[in-house]
Amino acid sequence: MPNKTIFAISGSLREGSSNHKVLTFIGGLLPADISYHIYGGLATIPPFDPGLDNDMPPQSVTTLRDAITNADAVIICTPEYAFGIPGQLKNALDWMVSSASFSGKPTALVTASTGGENAHTALLKVLGAIDSDVIEGGTLLIPYIRSKIDNDGNVIDEDAIKDLKLLTDNLLKTIA
Ligand SMILES: Cc1cc2nc3c(=O)[nH]c(=O)nc-3n(C[C@H](O)[C@H](O)[C@H](O)COP(=O)(O)O)c2cc1C
């Protein structure tokens, strides 16, 4: 069976981000034949400008579009800021509207925040707008995330672990 690729995007730029740790945890659940990459370039995506969204978009945008296009699946894991989607994540997704990189792409969404309901709902709408295929059993809201991760970055909440395993299994089944 050929290798499959899962591309992961954290909506938090913070060093020590819980969302990054959740994505690392998911990576540890994957079989060895899955190529898993956690995107590190979100801060390099320039502010969305429709005037620059032409045949020669900024290189960082092209790199992100290609990574998504070439992946078999995408996982987004994000906090909520000020009752909404973190600006840097929304900005990157705005660049994906015209490229169709997400079109039909199996996608899982984890919102890991203090509350997170608003960002979660809003992101599902955005993923619909970019024609992403949010998979069945591929959405998860983890509230009070900071209390569910220990100082070493391990997810320690049993329900969160169970839910993340299930979501990961669902994604793997989708791309098998
Ligand atoms: C400026 C700011 C605004 C925030 N607003 C919200 C919010 O509206 N809803 C929420 O659930 N959490 C909010 N939080 C808390 C974040 O969810 C929390 O800090 C989370 O751990 C961030 O994710 P990270 O650990 O991956 O960086 C906010 C945090 C910051 C710094």
Side-chain angles (χ1 to χ4, degrees):
M1 195 177 80
N3 278 7
K4 301 283 182 166
T5 300
I6 299 177
F7 186 70
I9 303 172
S10 166
S12 173
L13 302 177
R14 186 173 72 85
E15 194 173 338
S17 155
S18 345
N19 281 272
H20 196 283
K21 286 168 183 160
V22 168
L23 287 175
T24 302
F25 176 81
I26 289 172
L29 300 174
L30 300 174
D33 64 344
I34 297 285
S35 165
Y36 183 65
H37 179 69
I38 301 177
Y39 179 53
L42 196 60
T44 69
I45 301 292
F48 178 64
D49 177 347
L52 298 179
D53 193 5
N54 50 33
D55 291 348
M56 289 284 288
Q59 182 56 50
S60 58
V61 170
T62 303
T63 302
L64 177 58
R65 286 175 172 172
D66 289 349
I68 292 168
T69 301
N70 293 331
D72 293 289
V74 174
I75 299 180
I76 295 173
C77 187
T78 185
E80 171 177 292
Y81 291 153
F83 299 134
I85 302 169
Q88 65 277 7
L89 176 61
K90 176 65 165 64
N91 178 60
L93 294 175
D94 287 345
W95 280 107
M96 301 302 124
V97 172
S98 68
S99 67
S101 314
F102 266 97
S103 194
K105 186 68 59 185
T107 302
L109 171 64
V110 179
T111 306
S113 199
T114 305
E117 301 89 345
N118 303 289
H120 198 64
T121 304
L123 263 165
L124 288 172
K125 281 191 183 166
V126 173
L127 290 171
I130 56 180
D131 194 29
S132 146
D133 175 15
V134 178
I135 63 155
E136 206 174 320
T139 64
L140 178 59
L141 177 64
I142 310 179
Y144 307 111
I145 185 61
R146 296 242 197 157
S147 67
K148 296 175 180 174
I149 291 183
D150 70 12
N151 289 336
D152 298 323
N154 303 303
V155 181
I156 51 169
D157 181 85
E158 280 185 22
D159 286 341
I161 291 171
K162 181 169 63 71
D163 291 345
L164 285 166
K165 283 184 173 169
L166 189 59
L167 175 136
T168 305
D169 275 355
N170 291 336
L171 195 59
L172 288 171
K173 276 186 207 140
T174 303
I175 64 173

